[in-house]
Amino acid sequence: MRQFLGGMLFASACLVAADISAATKHHRLSWDGDGSNSAVIGFSPDGSSNNPTVKYGYSTDEGSWSSAQVDNTETFDGSITSHFVRLSNLNADSEIYFRVCDQDGCGQRFWFRTAPADSDPYVVVAGGDTRTGHTNRRQGNRLLAKVRPLAVMHGGDFTNANSAWEMDAFLDDWTLTYSSDQIDGYDYKRIYPLIPTHGNHEDGNYSTLCQVFGVDFNDDGNCNPHDTYGAVQVSPLLRIYTLNSQFKDSGWSSYAQAMNNWLQSDLSASGSAADWRLAQYHKPMFPHYTGKSENETLFGWWAQSFYDYAVNLVVESDTHMTKLTQSLIPDGNDFAATTSGGTVYTGEGSWGAPARSANDPKSWTIDLASIQQFKVIQVRPDQLVVRTAQFDSSAATLSRAERDADPLLLPAGVNWWSANQVGEAVTITRNSANRSVIDGGSGNGDPDIALAATDDVFVSSSQSATNLDSHSDGLLADGSDSTFGEMMTLIRFDLSELAGCSINGASLELNITNVSGDNYGIYRAAGNWREGSATWDSVGGSGILGGLATSFTPSSTGIAAIHLQSPGLLDDWLDGANTGLVIASRGGSNGVDMTSKETGLSPVIRVDADCDGSGGGQQLSRVSSDDVFVSSYRSGDNFDGHSDGLLADGWDFIYGELYTLVKFDLSDLACSSYSNATLELDITNRSDKSYGIYLANSDWQEESATWNSISGADMLGPRAATFVPSSTGTRQIDLQSSGLIDSWLAGGNTGLVIAPESGSDGVDISSRETGQGPLLKLESHCN
């Protein structure tokens, strides 16, 4: 029986008594109906919990809360018991506070927000495949807590074997998604509604979703495979369809028929009840990895209905990578891209499960990458904005007040994946038939061009004759400092590749490592300077400050993206007056620290440009499709996905000599003219020894490469570059071998080997499974 808030209010003296904990754990929240007025609270006993109830209300005044009894209890895999309490008739767009209580008292304080009943905007997160790679899974969970979405779509494969002990571990890790809040003097955890999907690793039990998360999509009070599909009306803005792709397997034809009949009926009757329609299911129709077969059955079931009833965005999982497609329309047994309106497909999983090679792009694919990620979707009446968040710890944490003040706000410092043609965010609008149109995407415009700083340095009034290039503190700016006095940071970018381009806008990206509450200006430099010789005296002190382009307050760590409001700035630079930028305090003495190109992430200028093809090139980025290290002491072992990432060393007492192998999939590159190839590595343990970047002499596979299989040192081909990984953070290495990319495109792409040139001081590098994997950045010179 569903519980009603309005009819059950009573004062609960025991609730406001001493804070003693209920014997419960693994609290979770699900949506399976209307997100504006209902929710399912789930929890499990932690020891002996008798007759648990949920106390809840609209404020922290627990004396006014209601009490709701357990509606149903389910057992998963014979040993995980879960109680579920259904709340209905809740107020829309409201904070709901609750605690689970039993014979021992009431436990941890939680709160969640119901969806709005109007067209107010919000953020949702969508991802899948949390079954393995627990370190990455936890990183993703922590990032979710920082983002503070309204709700979470999970695309299935919660665990590997769908066993009790694995699900227990998943639920342990899910507690990392809680956000911590102090409300009216009490410690609360914000908990986020989950909309779960059945994946192939749940195939041993088609009742997993209702047994673990309490969903009852068809509202019949029974827990069975029919609860693997249904619709959630989040608000008038959004309706989310969850489907079971595994019904395609033999033996489930009756369930498949029931599901597809329901889908057709619901899309026809209720699809138009929301501005936007999203769908999620596990298996992709056309996986973007060659090791996965195409799912023609799913295409036949759903693709035409998605188009006919204007499903705007589909989130797929299973393949352990990310992809973004153009707006698509069914065309025979395949899709065709359209600019007039269709369905956009994204995914495919990798919320922990090791990323697979993104090696099977389609003619209608915008971009793909082998990374750990989930989607962050801003939902507005006029557009969906979809970003892909890569998992690391760089993001700032949104506070409750920040989320309340701006329902679309995203944390600073998120490591967003930048897709070719569209950049970090794809904006989806609707045509007159409510089908999706990619705004500025689908190859109709030029992509954002991201340029790293060629010169960066800070200057100091107290050390006015000293050049501080490559200082260990990075880049500094301050109005007054006890050691350096007044400080200014100077930055310059090489814009030669933008010759012949029309500049529409630009933004400066800075990696803030020490925050400030003071305001800083970004000025045009009034004179020329050189990184290796710039001092306070040589630049003329404050005389270097030219016109003010914009100002900002670096109030949080991570990446700050600052729009350069001065419209003629880059035009002047392209006309030959490129003296760069100066960052200087506009008053106050609270300094800001930023990473330089020598100490971490370089300053970047991101340019929105229309280029005619006669000037410079366009930048492309590729995440490694394969990366692994090999060991001479453990010469028969494969170390794919090792927790240490990628290692290279002249000698190590455990591993002996170590090489790292890296390969990039360039099969989708249509251009035949490339230059300025740059390898970007995330150094996690520095070394003062020299390392070589060599072309690999023969082919290898990530999952099988060993010291023996590559024949050790015989794997080292021509040397492309050398570097000394003397500091942690991102390191960019110019691949000086001019024939490198040409040889790869001609069919000789065996990848690279990072090997020691001397000494036994090892270097550690993030792999694509453990963090920011190796990147290859190319400059294209094709029209």
Side-chain angles (χ1 to χ4, degrees):
M1 176 180 180
R2 299 194 181 248
Q3 306 297 320
F4 290 85
L5 183 65
M8 300 187 64
L9 290 172
F10 66 90
S12 178
C14 66
L15 194 59
V16 295
D19 263 348
I20 52 178
S21 294
T24 58
K25 64 177 181 179
H26 291 161
H27 303 86
R28 56 263 196 203
L29 189 73
S30 301
W31 277 353
D32 61 0
D34 189 329
S36 68
N37 60 37
S38 64
V40 181
I41 297 173
F43 53 92
S44 296
D46 188 12
S48 178
S49 178
N50 299 320
N51 300 316
T53 59
V54 169
K55 313 288 186 180
Y56 66 107
Y58 294 114
S59 73
T60 61
D61 178 11
E62 300 181 16
S64 66
W65 285 6
S66 300
S67 178
Q69 305 300 313
V70 170
D71 285 89
N72 62 300
T73 299
E74 304 291 345
T75 301
F76 171 77
D77 196 33
S79 60
I80 292 183
T81 298
S82 297
H83 302 299
F84 299 105
V85 174
R86 293 186 160 272
L87 305 182
S88 297
N89 202 32
L90 301 173
N91 293 342
D93 197 20
S94 298
E95 296 179 353
I96 309 298
Y97 302 88
F98 73 89
R99 298 174 75 181
V100 178
C101 306
D102 61 15
Q103 77 284 349
D104 291 332
C106 295
Q108 193 170 24
R109 292 178 171 88
F110 292 96
W111 75 279
F112 67 94
R113 180 176 290 279
T114 54
D118 55 22
S119 294
D120 284 352
Y122 45 79
V123 171
V124 296
V125 160
D129 295 276
T130 52
R131 62 183 179 86
T132 52
H134 296 177
T135 297
N136 288 320
R137 177 170 82 185
R138 291 167 189 145
Q139 276 194 323
N141 290 358
R142 293 186 183 99
L143 180 57
L144 190 155
K146 295 179 177 181
V147 173
R148 289 181 175 262
L150 179 68
V152 184
M153 300 163 59
H154 193 296
D157 278 10
F158 296 89
T159 70
N160 192 51
N162 210 33
S163 63
W165 73 268
E166 287 179 315
M167 191 63 74
D168 192 71
F170 168 84
L171 293 171
D172 278 342
D173 287 352
W174 193 249
T175 65
L176 298 174
T177 66
Y178 304 161
S179 300
S180 298
D181 293 313
Q182 180 81 194
I183 307 175
D184 297 337
Y186 297 108
D187 289 330
Y188 272 88
K189 295 291 187 182
R190 180 168 183 179
I191 189 169
Y192 299 99
L194 180 70
I195 306 172
T197 304
H198 181 95
N200 62 291
H201 283 261
E202 282 80 60
D203 277 357
N205 179 0
Y206 274 66
S207 295
T208 296
L209 302 189
C210 50
Q211 290 174 354
V212 176
F213 303 105
V215 292
D216 184 14
F217 281 118
N218 60 1
D219 196 23
D220 67 352
N222 298 315
C223 180
N224 57 44
H226 287 295
D227 293 316
T228 59
Y229 62 91
V232 173
Q233 182 77 16
V234 179
S235 76
L237 279 186
L238 180 62
R239 189 169 180 85
I240 297 174
Y241 288 89
T242 297
L243 301 171
N244 187 345
S245 60
Q246 296 309 106
F247 283 159
K248 66 182 176 57
D249 295 337
S250 61
W252 296 97
S253 59
S254 63
Y255 285 95
Q257 183 176 359
M259 173 181 66
N260 292 331
N261 288 344
W262 164 83
L263 176 63
Q264 189 79 10
S265 175
D266 193 275
L267 284 169
S268 175
S270 303
S272 60
D275 292 342
W276 299 98
R277 286 146 297 282
L278 269 62
Q280 65 171 349
Y281 47 84
H282 189 66
K283 291 277 189 179
M285 295 179 185
F286 297 100
H288 281 55
Y289 165 59
T290 54
K292 290 280 187 177
S293 300
E294 295 181 350
N295 290 294
E296 296 91 346
T297 298
L298 303 181
F299 178 85
W301 281 356
W302 300 329
Q304 191 64 47
S305 292
F306 287 169
Y307 177 78
D308 291 343
Y309 292 100
V311 173
N312 302 102
L313 180 68
V314 173
V315 185
E316 300 174 320
S317 291
D318 183 65
T319 316
H320 310 171
M321 51 160 293
T322 190
K323 60 100 183 284
L324 174 67
T325 76
Q326 300 181 41
S327 187
L328 302 180
I329 181 172
D331 181 21
N333 295 321
D334 197 355
F335 283 120
T338 175
T339 59
S340 60
T343 302
V344 176
Y345 291 74
T346 191
E348 301 171 7
S350 69
W351 188 336
R356 295 189 175 105
S357 295
N359 59 5
D360 193 10
K362 318 300 180 184
S363 62
W364 32 260
T365 305
I366 290 178
D367 203 359
L368 67 170
S370 176
I371 57 176
Q372 292 285 321
Q373 55 81 34
F374 56 50
K375 307 300 172 193
V376 179
I377 306 169
Q378 293 169 304
V379 185
R380 297 172 31 170
D382 58 335
Q383 61 183 218
L384 297 177
V385 181
V386 184
R387 292 176 174 85
T388 300
Q390 302 184 76
F391 296 166
D392 59 28
S393 58
S394 65
T397 301
L398 289 184
S399 68
R400 175 171 172 256
E402 287 174 321
R403 173 52 75 223
D404 288 347
D406 185 349
L408 292 176
L409 184 66
L410 301 178
V414 178
N415 184 12
W416 301 115
W417 174 58
S418 183
N420 289 328
Q421 303 183 48
V422 295
E424 294 178 351
V426 57
T427 300
I428 300 173
T429 58
R430 296 190 305 274
N431 65 10
S432 59
N434 289 319
R435 297 189 179 103
S436 291
V437 176
I438 295 181
D439 186 11
S442 302
N444 296 323
D446 290 291
D448 283 352
I449 300 173
L451 303 173
T454 55
D455 302 87
D456 58 10
V457 65
F458 76 91
V459 295
S460 154
S461 64
S462 293
Q463 300 184 29
S464 61
T466 303
N467 173 253
L468 298 164
D469 182 29
S470 303
H471 194 279
S472 60
D473 287 339
L475 303 173
L476 308 179
D478 200 344
S480 175
D481 179 83
S482 58
T483 301
F484 293 106
E486 188 176 354
M487 292 176 286
M488 299 181 296
T489 280
L490 292 81
I491 304 172
R492 183 162 46 215
F493 303 88
D494 179 7
L495 306 180
S496 60
E497 73 174 74
L498 297 179
C501 297
S502 174
I503 309 300
N504 301 318
S507 61
L508 176 67
E509 295 181 357
L510 302 170
N511 183 33
I512 309 297
T513 57
N514 182 50
V515 303
S516 172
D518 291 342
N519 188 252
Y520 285 81
I522 299 178
Y523 302 84
R524 303 187 196 200
N528 210 351
W529 54 275
R530 291 288 180 268
E531 178 185 73
S533 60
T535 67
W536 183 270
D537 290 342
S538 71
V539 303
S542 57
I544 194 70
L545 300 180
L548 178 68
T550 189
S551 63
F552 73 109
T553 300
S555 57
S556 61
T557 57
I559 302 298
I562 305 149
H563 179 58
L564 298 177
Q565 299 167 347
S566 180
L569 175 63
L570 270 70
D571 293 333
D572 288 350
W573 287 358
L574 292 174
D575 288 338
N578 181 6
T579 51
L581 299 171
V582 186
I583 301 174
S585 173
R586 303 188 73 194
S589 58
N590 186 356
V592 59
D593 296 13
M594 300 156 282
T595 54
S596 67
K597 61 188 178 68
E598 294 86 4
T599 62
L601 293 175
S602 166
V604 170
I605 193 166
R606 191 174 295 278
V607 184
D608 178 13
D610 295 321
C611 300
D612 60 10
S614 61
Q618 296 180 4
Q619 286 197 340
L620 307 172
S621 294
R622 286 290 184 271
V623 180
S624 57
S625 57
D626 301 84
D627 56 17
V628 67
F629 72 87
V630 295
S631 155
S632 65
Y633 278 8
R634 297 172 60 178
S635 57
D637 291 348
N638 172 256
F639 295 98
D640 180 27
H642 194 278
S643 60
D644 288 336
L646 304 172
L647 308 179
D649 201 344
W651 179 85
D652 178 88
F653 72 95
I654 296 176
Y655 293 108
E657 192 170 1
L658 292 159
Y659 292 171
T660 277
L661 290 80
V662 181
K663 187 157 48 181
F664 301 90
D665 179 16
L666 306 181
S667 60
D668 64 329
L669 297 184
C671 180
S672 60
S673 177
Y674 293 90
S675 64
N676 297 336
T678 302
L679 178 66
E680 184 175 296
L681 303 173
D682 180 27
I683 309 298
T684 58
N685 182 51
R686 57 172 297 279
S687 171
D688 61 3
K689 301 301 182 183
S690 178
Y691 286 81
I693 311 286
Y694 300 84
L695 276 66
N697 260 338
S698 59
D699 202 12
W700 53 275
Q701 302 301 320
E702 178 184 73
E703 64 274 9
S704 60
T706 68
W707 184 270
N708 288 342
S709 71
I710 69 166
S711 300
D714 290 342
M715 192 62 162
L716 303 182
R719 187 172 64 189
T722 62
F723 74 109
V724 177
S726 56
S727 62
T728 58
T730 301
R731 179 66 180 270
Q732 296 190 351
I733 304 151
D734 181 29
L735 299 179
Q736 299 166 353
S737 176
S738 60
L740 172 65
I741 305 303
D742 292 337
S743 69
W744 285 359
L745 292 175
N749 182 4
T750 51
L752 300 171
V753 185
I754 302 173
E757 294 192 316
S758 64
S760 58
D761 184 8
V763 61
D764 295 13
I765 305 165
S766 291
S767 69
R768 62 194 183 91
E769 291 89 0
T770 63
Q772 177 185 313
L775 288 170
L776 180 67
K777 296 185 175 181
L778 303 173
E779 182 179 323
S780 160
H781 288 273
C782 295
N783 293 340

PDB file of all heavy atoms in Angstrom, residues 170-189:
ATOM      1  N   PHE A 170      29.044  -3.083  -4.230  1.00  0.00           N
ATOM      2  CA  PHE A 170      28.476  -1.987  -5.011  1.00  0.00           C
ATOM      3  C   PHE A 170      27.722  -1.013  -4.110  1.00  0.00           C
ATOM      4  O   PHE A 170      27.866   0.211  -4.228  1.00  0.00           O
ATOM      5  CB  PHE A 170      27.539  -2.520  -6.100  1.00  0.00           C
ATOM      6  CG  PHE A 170      26.708  -1.441  -6.742  1.00  0.00           C
ATOM      7  CD1 PHE A 170      27.215  -0.692  -7.779  1.00  0.00           C
ATOM      8  CD2 PHE A 170      25.427  -1.161  -6.282  1.00  0.00           C
ATOM      9  CE1 PHE A 170      26.469   0.328  -8.357  1.00  0.00           C
ATOM     10  CE2 PHE A 170      24.659  -0.147  -6.853  1.00  0.00           C
ATOM     11  CZ  PHE A 170      25.186   0.593  -7.897  1.00  0.00           C
ATOM     12  N   LEU A 171      26.899  -1.550  -3.200  1.00  0.00           N
ATOM     13  CA  LEU A 171      26.121  -0.695  -2.320  1.00  0.00           C
ATOM     14  C   LEU A 171      27.012   0.051  -1.332  1.00  0.00           C
ATOM     15  O   LEU A 171      26.716   1.195  -0.953  1.00  0.00           O
ATOM     16  CB  LEU A 171      25.066  -1.522  -1.592  1.00  0.00           C
ATOM     17  CG  LEU A 171      23.963  -2.110  -2.495  1.00  0.00           C
ATOM     18  CD1 LEU A 171      23.099  -3.075  -1.720  1.00  0.00           C
ATOM     19  CD2 LEU A 171      23.115  -1.005  -3.115  1.00  0.00           C
ATOM     20  N   ASP A 172      28.102  -0.594  -0.912  1.00  0.00           N
ATOM     21  CA  ASP A 172      29.095   0.129  -0.097  1.00  0.00           C
ATOM     22  C   ASP A 172      29.628   1.331  -0.863  1.00  0.00           C
ATOM     23  O   ASP A 172      29.686   2.449  -0.341  1.00  0.00           O
ATOM     24  CB  ASP A 172      30.263  -0.797   0.275  1.00  0.00           C
ATOM     25  CG  ASP A 172      29.974  -1.676   1.477  1.00  0.00           C
ATOM     26  OD1 ASP A 172      29.040  -1.369   2.238  1.00  0.00           O
ATOM     27  OD2 ASP A 172      30.682  -2.680   1.651  1.00  0.00           O
ATOM     28  N   ASP A 173      30.024   1.104  -2.109  1.00  0.00           N
ATOM     29  CA  ASP A 173      30.588   2.181  -2.918  1.00  0.00           C
ATOM     30  C   ASP A 173      29.544   3.239  -3.259  1.00  0.00           C
ATOM     31  O   ASP A 173      29.890   4.415  -3.451  1.00  0.00           O
ATOM     32  CB  ASP A 173      31.186   1.618  -4.208  1.00  0.00           C
ATOM     33  CG  ASP A 173      32.490   0.870  -3.969  1.00  0.00           C
ATOM     34  OD1 ASP A 173      33.008   0.921  -2.838  1.00  0.00           O
ATOM     35  OD2 ASP A 173      32.989   0.225  -4.915  1.00  0.00           O
ATOM     36  N   TRP A 174      28.283   2.828  -3.364  1.00  0.00           N
ATOM     37  CA  TRP A 174      27.235   3.806  -3.709  1.00  0.00           C
ATOM     38  C   TRP A 174      27.090   4.875  -2.634  1.00  0.00           C
ATOM     39  O   TRP A 174      26.647   5.991  -2.922  1.00  0.00           O
ATOM     40  CB  TRP A 174      25.912   3.093  -3.954  1.00  0.00           C
ATOM     41  CG  TRP A 174      24.894   3.972  -4.616  1.00  0.00           C
ATOM     42  CD1 TRP A 174      23.748   4.469  -4.084  1.00  0.00           C
ATOM     43  CD2 TRP A 174      24.950   4.468  -5.964  1.00  0.00           C
ATOM     44  NE1 TRP A 174      23.080   5.241  -4.999  1.00  0.00           N
ATOM     45  CE2 TRP A 174      23.801   5.259  -6.161  1.00  0.00           C
ATOM     46  CE3 TRP A 174      25.862   4.319  -7.003  1.00  0.00           C
ATOM     47  CZ2 TRP A 174      23.543   5.900  -7.371  1.00  0.00           C
ATOM     48  CZ3 TRP A 174      25.608   4.959  -8.203  1.00  0.00           C
ATOM     49  CH2 TRP A 174      24.456   5.744  -8.377  1.00  0.00           C
ATOM     50  N   THR A 175      27.482   4.567  -1.406  1.00  0.00           N
ATOM     51  CA  THR A 175      27.408   5.584  -0.351  1.00  0.00           C
ATOM     52  C   THR A 175      28.323   6.763  -0.644  1.00  0.00           C
ATOM     53  O   THR A 175      28.135   7.850  -0.083  1.00  0.00           O
ATOM     54  CB  THR A 175      27.762   4.990   1.026  1.00  0.00           C
ATOM     55  OG1 THR A 175      29.132   4.561   1.031  1.00  0.00           O
ATOM     56  CG2 THR A 175      26.876   3.808   1.353  1.00  0.00           C
ATOM     57  N   LEU A 176      29.313   6.583  -1.531  1.00  0.00           N
ATOM     58  CA  LEU A 176      30.190   7.690  -1.904  1.00  0.00           C
ATOM     59  C   LEU A 176      29.473   8.723  -2.765  1.00  0.00           C
ATOM     60  O   LEU A 176      29.980   9.840  -2.944  1.00  0.00           O
ATOM     61  CB  LEU A 176      31.409   7.159  -2.663  1.00  0.00           C
ATOM     62  CG  LEU A 176      32.319   6.196  -1.900  1.00  0.00           C
ATOM     63  CD1 LEU A 176      33.388   5.636  -2.822  1.00  0.00           C
ATOM     64  CD2 LEU A 176      32.946   6.885  -0.697  1.00  0.00           C
ATOM     65  N   THR A 177      28.299   8.374  -3.311  1.00  0.00           N
ATOM     66  CA  THR A 177      27.533   9.337  -4.091  1.00  0.00           C
ATOM     67  C   THR A 177      26.774  10.315  -3.203  1.00  0.00           C
ATOM     68  O   THR A 177      26.246  11.312  -3.698  1.00  0.00           O
ATOM     69  CB  THR A 177      26.531   8.637  -5.026  1.00  0.00           C
ATOM     70  OG1 THR A 177      25.522   7.972  -4.244  1.00  0.00           O
ATOM     71  CG2 THR A 177      27.225   7.624  -5.919  1.00  0.00           C
ATOM     72  N   TYR A 178      26.682  10.045  -1.900  1.00  0.00           N
ATOM     73  CA  TYR A 178      25.995  10.965  -1.009  1.00  0.00           C
ATOM     74  C   TYR A 178      26.786  12.278  -0.911  1.00  0.00           C
ATOM     75  O   TYR A 178      28.008  12.266  -0.809  1.00  0.00           O
ATOM     76  CB  TYR A 178      25.877  10.407   0.410  1.00  0.00           C
ATOM     77  CG  TYR A 178      25.220   9.061   0.584  1.00  0.00           C
ATOM     78  CD1 TYR A 178      25.439   8.327   1.758  1.00  0.00           C
ATOM     79  CD2 TYR A 178      24.392   8.500  -0.372  1.00  0.00           C
ATOM     80  CE1 TYR A 178      24.852   7.101   1.973  1.00  0.00           C
ATOM     81  CE2 TYR A 178      23.805   7.265  -0.179  1.00  0.00           C
ATOM     82  CZ  TYR A 178      24.035   6.558   0.997  1.00  0.00           C
ATOM     83  OH  TYR A 178      23.466   5.328   1.193  1.00  0.00           O
ATOM     84  N   SER A 179      26.099  13.393  -0.903  1.00  0.00           N
ATOM     85  CA  SER A 179      26.727  14.691  -0.651  1.00  0.00           C
ATOM     86  C   SER A 179      26.508  15.067   0.815  1.00  0.00           C
ATOM     87  O   SER A 179      25.433  14.844   1.364  1.00  0.00           O
ATOM     88  CB  SER A 179      26.124  15.772  -1.550  1.00  0.00           C
ATOM     89  OG  SER A 179      26.306  15.453  -2.915  1.00  0.00           O
ATOM     90  N   SER A 180      27.514  15.647   1.437  1.00  0.00           N
ATOM     91  CA  SER A 180      27.451  15.996   2.863  1.00  0.00           C
ATOM     92  C   SER A 180      26.975  17.428   3.038  1.00  0.00           C
ATOM     93  O   SER A 180      27.496  18.351   2.403  1.00  0.00           O
ATOM     94  CB  SER A 180      28.832  15.831   3.510  1.00  0.00           C
ATOM     95  OG  SER A 180      29.270  14.494   3.434  1.00  0.00           O
ATOM     96  N   ASP A 181      25.992  17.627   3.905  1.00  0.00           N
ATOM     97  CA  ASP A 181      25.427  18.951   4.164  1.00  0.00           C
ATOM     98  C   ASP A 181      25.239  19.164   5.657  1.00  0.00           C
ATOM     99  O   ASP A 181      24.942  18.227   6.402  1.00  0.00           O
ATOM    100  CB  ASP A 181      24.063  19.104   3.469  1.00  0.00           C
ATOM    101  CG  ASP A 181      24.181  19.117   1.959  1.00  0.00           C
ATOM    102  OD1 ASP A 181      25.062  19.840   1.451  1.00  0.00           O
ATOM    103  OD2 ASP A 181      23.411  18.409   1.290  1.00  0.00           O
ATOM    104  N   GLN A 182      25.392  20.399   6.071  1.00  0.00           N
ATOM    105  CA  GLN A 182      25.063  20.828   7.415  1.00  0.00           C
ATOM    106  C   GLN A 182      23.800  21.687   7.306  1.00  0.00           C
ATOM    107  O   GLN A 182      23.814  22.757   6.696  1.00  0.00           O
ATOM    108  CB  GLN A 182      26.212  21.635   8.021  1.00  0.00           C
ATOM    109  CG  GLN A 182      25.966  22.135   9.412  1.00  0.00           C
ATOM    110  CD  GLN A 182      26.205  21.084  10.485  1.00  0.00           C
ATOM    111  OE1 GLN A 182      25.797  21.280  11.630  1.00  0.00           O
ATOM    112  NE2 GLN A 182      26.869  19.985  10.157  1.00  0.00           N
ATOM    113  N   ILE A 183      22.686  21.190   7.855  1.00  0.00           N
ATOM    114  CA  ILE A 183      21.396  21.872   7.723  1.00  0.00           C
ATOM    115  C   ILE A 183      20.803  22.071   9.105  1.00  0.00           C
ATOM    116  O   ILE A 183      20.568  21.103   9.839  1.00  0.00           O
ATOM    117  CB  ILE A 183      20.419  21.063   6.836  1.00  0.00           C
ATOM    118  CG1 ILE A 183      21.070  20.716   5.493  1.00  0.00           C
ATOM    119  CG2 ILE A 183      19.129  21.856   6.608  1.00  0.00           C
ATOM    120  CD1 ILE A 183      20.221  19.827   4.604  1.00  0.00           C
ATOM    121  N   ASP A 184      20.583  23.321   9.465  1.00  0.00           N
ATOM    122  CA  ASP A 184      19.999  23.665  10.773  1.00  0.00           C
ATOM    123  C   ASP A 184      20.764  23.004  11.914  1.00  0.00           C
ATOM    124  O   ASP A 184      20.168  22.564  12.907  1.00  0.00           O
ATOM    125  CB  ASP A 184      18.525  23.254  10.830  1.00  0.00           C
ATOM    126  CG  ASP A 184      17.673  24.007   9.819  1.00  0.00           C
ATOM    127  OD1 ASP A 184      18.090  25.105   9.397  1.00  0.00           O
ATOM    128  OD2 ASP A 184      16.616  23.490   9.428  1.00  0.00           O
ATOM    129  N   GLY A 185      22.073  22.922  11.771  1.00  0.00           N
ATOM    130  CA  GLY A 185      22.895  22.358  12.823  1.00  0.00           C
ATOM    131  C   GLY A 185      23.011  20.849  12.819  1.00  0.00           C
ATOM    132  O   GLY A 185      23.685  20.280  13.688  1.00  0.00           O
ATOM    133  N   TYR A 186      22.397  20.180  11.859  1.00  0.00           N
ATOM    134  CA  TYR A 186      22.448  18.719  11.778  1.00  0.00           C
ATOM    135  C   TYR A 186      23.273  18.288  10.557  1.00  0.00           C
ATOM    136  O   TYR A 186      23.285  18.956   9.523  1.00  0.00           O
ATOM    137  CB  TYR A 186      21.038  18.132  11.637  1.00  0.00           C
ATOM    138  CG  TYR A 186      20.133  18.382  12.808  1.00  0.00           C
ATOM    139  CD1 TYR A 186      19.081  19.294  12.712  1.00  0.00           C
ATOM    140  CD2 TYR A 186      20.301  17.696  14.006  1.00  0.00           C
ATOM    141  CE1 TYR A 186      18.230  19.529  13.781  1.00  0.00           C
ATOM    142  CE2 TYR A 186      19.443  17.924  15.088  1.00  0.00           C
ATOM    143  CZ  TYR A 186      18.428  18.839  14.968  1.00  0.00           C
ATOM    144  OH  TYR A 186      17.585  19.066  16.023  1.00  0.00           O
ATOM    145  N   ASP A 187      23.921  17.145  10.673  1.00  0.00           N
ATOM    146  CA  ASP A 187      24.637  16.544   9.547  1.00  0.00           C
ATOM    147  C   ASP A 187      23.665  15.709   8.727  1.00  0.00           C
ATOM    148  O   ASP A 187      23.074  14.750   9.231  1.00  0.00           O
ATOM    149  CB  ASP A 187      25.780  15.654  10.046  1.00  0.00           C
ATOM    150  CG  ASP A 187      26.914  16.455  10.642  1.00  0.00           C
ATOM    151  OD1 ASP A 187      27.122  17.608  10.204  1.00  0.00           O
ATOM    152  OD2 ASP A 187      27.590  15.947  11.558  1.00  0.00           O
ATOM    153  N   TYR A 188      23.510  16.093   7.458  1.00  0.00           N
ATOM    154  CA  TYR A 188      22.644  15.370   6.533  1.00  0.00           C
ATOM    155  C   TYR A 188      23.456  14.872   5.346  1.00  0.00           C
ATOM    156  O   TYR A 188      24.477  15.455   4.983  1.00  0.00           O
ATOM    157  CB  TYR A 188      21.526  16.278   6.015  1.00  0.00           C
ATOM    158  CG  TYR A 188      20.287  16.295   6.877  1.00  0.00           C
ATOM    159  CD1 TYR A 188      20.167  17.191   7.947  1.00  0.00           C
ATOM    160  CD2 TYR A 188      19.230  15.429   6.626  1.00  0.00           C
ATOM    161  CE1 TYR A 188      19.034  17.211   8.738  1.00  0.00           C
ATOM    162  CE2 TYR A 188      18.089  15.444   7.407  1.00  0.00           C
ATOM    163  CZ  TYR A 188      17.999  16.333   8.464  1.00  0.00           C
ATOM    164  OH  TYR A 188      16.871  16.339   9.242  1.00  0.00           O
ATOM    165  N   LYS A 189      22.976  13.807   4.716  1.00  0.00           N
ATOM    166  CA  LYS A 189      23.513  13.319   3.455  1.00  0.00           C
ATOM    167  C   LYS A 189      22.445  13.492   2.381  1.00  0.00           C
ATOM    168  O   LYS A 189      21.313  13.033   2.561  1.00  0.00           O
ATOM    169  CB  LYS A 189      23.895  11.840   3.556  1.00  0.00           C
ATOM    170  CG  LYS A 189      25.028  11.540   4.526  1.00  0.00           C
ATOM    171  CD  LYS A 189      26.362  12.074   4.021  1.00  0.00           C
ATOM    172  CE  LYS A 189      27.489  11.619   4.928  1.00  0.00           C
ATOM    173  NZ  LYS A 189      28.807  12.173   4.480  1.00  0.00           N
TER     174      LYS A 189
END
